[in-house]
Amino acid sequence: MPRPEATEAFDAIGTRWTIDTAEPLPHAALRAVRERIDRFDRDWSRFRADSWVSEVARGGAGAYRLPDDAGPLLDAYDAAARATDGAVSPLVGRALEGLGYDAAYTLRARRDAEGALLTAPAPDWRAAARRDEATLTLDVPALIDVGAGGKGYLVDLVSGVLAAHGVGEHVVDAGGDLRAAGLGTASGPLTVALEDPRDTGRAVGVLRLADGALCGSATNRRAWGEGLHHVVDARTGAPTSDVLATWAVGGSALTADVAATALFFADPDLVASRFGVRYVVLRADGSLRWSLGLDGEVFA
């Protein structure tokens, strides 16, 4: 696929989207993409008062009918909770609110009289929630946040919409979470630089992607104060500090996105085996660790 022959760019769910295709995207396909994104947002956004997530938060403990697309997303969270001993959880929303990352974007964390950060563990997803194919039962009130995997999952859903409209060759990029489909030998793979969070003008490596997904997470993204960012350990309610950035390459953006978050809290080889991904991890001490067999180069 020659790139970029045609690009559609727009803002949605708080990030910039670009869709690269070999031919201009048909209006019907673009409309279907926007409708799919909006439907996902109406279900899963904790920043919308009319979302399913907000309805659950208002309702407290109890049983709730799940959105139709919930299964793969919550399955991925089940796997992440097991791999990280509960550090990755979709019940981390209240902890993020307490840190200031709330629906009003106050960006003011709760602190005690001495100025120390006030944090509290999130409910344990493995113990406080039960689900079947159609229903989620919560034993305690909770605010769901699917930031660890939701954007990647939505990238997959958008890719599926494009394929259903006959757009087999495409690259979907949602704020750096990528899914490439059908990039042939004529066009070659997509080359992606891995941004160094300590200096965004530098890269710690480059990866090539022809078919599959690449997702990353970093503590300098969605950060609003010293030590305040969106990668939160559900067991403590506090932002993590051991890892600066992670990247995961997998067959789906959902898998890569959830694995990228799990890499902050678990041994990388364990995450790789559980999710079937390859990885790059930049730790807080500046050291890099990466999988063998990556298509690309890491600058150690």
Side-chain angles (χ1 to χ4, degrees):
M1 181 180 73
R3 291 187 308 273
E5 287 294 328
T7 298
E8 292 285 350
F10 54 89
D11 294 319
I13 65 163
T15 196
R16 187 68 170 170
W17 289 71
T18 60
I19 300 174
D20 291 335
T21 53
E23 303 289 339
L25 200 60
H27 291 304
L30 181 58
R31 183 171 61 251
V33 164
R34 299 300 295 264
E35 290 172 352
R36 190 64 188 87
I37 292 172
D38 185 62
R39 177 151 56 97
F40 189 89
D41 196 47
R42 290 198 311 269
D43 285 336
W44 295 106
S45 175
R46 66 178 176 87
F47 301 99
R48 292 178 57 152
D50 62 346
S51 70
W52 177 81
V53 161
S54 294
E55 175 190 337
V56 172
R58 290 190 295 267
Y64 298 91
R65 183 170 180 81
L66 284 163
D68 292 340
D69 59 12
L73 180 59
L74 297 185
D75 287 346
Y77 270 100
D78 289 344
R82 291 191 296 270
T84 63
D85 192 27
V88 178
S89 167
L91 302 184
V92 77
R94 294 294 183 206
L96 286 163
E97 280 194 333
L99 294 170
Y101 192 28
D102 52 27
Y105 292 97
T106 61
L107 306 182
R108 292 193 299 271
R110 292 184 300 174
R111 299 182 183 275
D112 63 19
E114 284 72 43
L117 199 63
L118 291 173
T119 60
D124 188 337
W125 172 245
R126 299 163 296 176
R130 301 180 306 281
R131 64 185 176 96
D132 56 29
E133 290 185 359
T135 305
L136 174 69
T137 301
L138 294 174
D139 293 337
V140 295
L143 177 60
I144 294 169
D145 179 275
V146 294
K151 182 150 66 77
Y153 186 35
L154 186 51
V155 166
D156 288 333
L157 294 173
V158 167
S159 179
V161 170
L162 294 173
H165 281 78
V167 186
E169 300 178 7
H170 56 261
V171 177
V172 180
D173 178 351
D177 289 341
L178 303 167
R179 179 157 181 170
L183 303 192
T185 55
S187 59
L190 187 70
T191 300
V192 183
L194 308 182
E195 181 184 275
D196 189 337
R198 301 161 299 183
D199 178 356
T200 56
R202 297 180 63 250
V204 300
V206 293
L207 296 179
R208 289 179 286 273
L209 188 69
D211 196 49
L214 167 63
C215 295
S217 187
T219 57
N220 68 319
R221 300 295 183 179
R222 288 187 299 238
W224 54 95
E226 183 67 30
L228 295 173
H229 56 77
H230 69 291
V231 187
V232 171
D233 188 333
R235 299 167 298 188
T236 64
T240 186
S241 58
D242 295 333
V243 173
L244 296 180
T246 64
W247 296 268
V249 179
S252 73
L254 170 58
T255 297
D257 198 13
V258 172
T261 302
L263 286 165
F264 279 86
F265 303 105
D267 178 79
D269 290 333
L270 172 64
V271 173
S273 66
R274 294 285 180 88
F275 289 94
V277 299
R278 293 186 174 92
Y279 64 81
V280 177
V281 175
L282 173 63
R283 300 188 60 82
D285 64 5
S287 62
L288 279 163
R289 182 170 170 181
W290 62 92
S291 299
L292 295 176
L294 277 172
D295 186 3
E297 182 180 3
V298 179
F299 312 140

